[in-house]
Amino acid sequence: MKYVVIADELRGRIARGELPPGARVPSTRRLATDHGVAMATAAKALALLGQEGLVRAEPRSGTVVASRERRGSQRGLTRDRIVRAAIEIADAEGLAALSMRGVAARLGAATMAPYKYVTGKDELVLLMADAAYGERGYPENPPPGWRERLTLGGRTLWSLYRRHPWLAQLAPITRPLPLRNLGLHAEWALAALAELGVDAATLCDLHVLFFSYVQGIAIHLEREQHALAASGLSEEQWMDKQAPAMAPMTLGRPVFAKMLRELGETGYDLVLEDIFESGMRALLDGLALRFGR
């Protein structure tokens, strides 16, 4: 398999010191060009090295060689270290790339060592989610007014989903995860919504509406990561490539055609951050109108 060959070459360069700890590893695009393979194949090679703990994703720097300390040894293995390593893998490569074997390799531990602390992947994912939701909290003195507090709650959740794109993928809104730290965010939102003076059933409905809105937008964060890794094309490049196929969609649909034509003339970037903020304002405007607040 070609991705194994690429991984073997990089592994050898790391072992020989040609790529020392902290050095930037060739990008997915560079590997694809040098080896004459698809971007997805090159990305799979880097993912394999990441599972082995040899490389890691570094914000704004790309993929770099992990330090020997990070590769570590089995000594000092703890549940917290296992959870942190698993979060790093999921952040860089997505939840689908997570495995108990990969976590062990990242920590430089024996394959079965993590099972002494975690029963399996299902429990590990719950521990990861609880840890992630616990990374951000709220001020002791909340801002005045239900709208300001709910805005802060939405932005806090959004920031966590931006940091951990896999987090929004875990469970449908109808089956909430029993996580202590998720309860912190629920309490903050419920306390704000309670100021609308509604009964318990309505309060629950409004909280589901609010949380599902934030989660619904955030779901696309990891999907975009996967699409980029699989196609090797940015969102803009993908849209340019799809332009001919979009034409039949607009036949007999004048508003659709006019919108695309104008966007082609003025330019348009679909920014999830902007859509999230705009949608949250609209949602809160609707609540204010409905409940006279």
Side-chain angles (χ1 to χ4, degrees):
M1 292 177 284
K2 291 185 177 180
Y3 80 91
V4 175
V5 174
I6 298 173
D8 284 343
E9 180 188 324
L10 291 173
R11 195 182 292 110
R13 294 177 63 186
I14 293 171
R16 292 190 299 270
E18 295 175 14
L19 290 172
R24 186 171 180 178
V25 177
S27 67
T28 303
R29 188 175 298 279
R30 176 65 182 274
L31 291 173
T33 301
D34 290 348
H35 293 270
V37 299
M39 293 277 286
T41 301
K44 200 170 181 180
L46 292 180
L48 178 59
L49 295 179
Q51 290 179 359
E52 295 174 1
L54 291 174
V55 301
R56 71 177 190 276
E58 190 74 19
R60 297 180 294 279
S61 297
T63 302
V64 301
V65 178
S67 66
R68 292 179 177 85
E69 289 76 14
R70 289 178 69 91
R71 295 174 215 170
S73 68
Q74 192 168 329
R75 289 177 297 176
L77 197 63
T78 64
R79 173 180 280 196
D80 183 63
R81 285 189 64 206
I82 291 169
V83 170
R84 282 290 123 198
I87 288 175
E88 288 178 3
I89 292 172
D91 287 349
E93 305 161 34
L95 204 60
L98 179 68
S99 68
M100 296 293 284
R101 179 185 296 272
V103 172
R106 191 178 189 89
L107 293 170
T111 302
M112 299 303 293
Y115 288 96
K116 296 179 181 179
Y117 304 88
V118 182
T119 58
K121 183 176 176 179
D122 290 344
E123 183 188 7
L124 178 57
V125 170
L126 289 178
L127 292 171
M128 291 163 58
D130 197 40
Y133 278 121
E135 290 178 358
R136 295 279 175 88
Y138 299 97
E140 289 186 17
N141 298 316
W146 66 271
R147 182 171 184 136
E148 290 74 15
R149 291 200 286 277
L150 210 55
T151 298
L152 178 58
R155 287 173 176 166
T156 299
L157 283 170
W158 177 255
S159 71
L160 292 175
Y161 291 138
R162 287 291 303 270
R163 181 184 293 183
H164 308 295
W166 50 270
L167 191 57
Q169 312 288 328
L170 294 184
I173 194 68
T174 52
R175 303 188 181 195
L177 297 173
L179 305 175
R180 181 176 181 277
N181 286 322
L182 182 56
L184 169 71
H185 301 282
E187 178 65 20
W188 180 269
L190 287 168
L193 290 166
E195 289 197 14
L196 297 175
V198 297
D199 58 44
T202 304
L203 181 62
C204 184
D205 286 347
L206 293 179
H207 180 241
V208 170
L209 174 65
F210 168 74
F211 187 84
S212 60
Y213 167 71
V214 182
Q215 183 190 42
I217 298 293
I219 280 174
H220 299 286
L221 294 169
E222 188 175 51
R223 290 179 179 176
E224 173 57 25
Q225 282 188 346
H226 287 169
L228 177 61
S231 68
L233 300 174
S234 68
E235 178 191 340
E236 184 177 356
Q237 291 169 328
W238 186 86
M239 288 298 294
D240 289 342
K241 188 175 181 180
Q242 295 297 317
M246 298 286 283
M249 294 178 62
T250 65
L251 293 176
R253 301 176 176 94
V255 178
F256 195 177
K258 181 174 182 292
M259 179 191 73
L260 291 182
R261 185 171 61 253
E262 291 182 1
L263 291 179
E265 295 170 354
T266 62
Y268 173 73
D269 292 323
L270 194 158
V271 182
L272 286 178
E273 185 87 32
D274 296 342
I275 292 177
F276 165 73
E277 288 286 345
S278 176
M280 188 165 64
R281 285 195 298 272
L283 175 60
L284 299 185
D285 284 347
L287 292 179
L289 183 63
R290 176 180 174 184
F291 295 101
R293 297 299 179 93

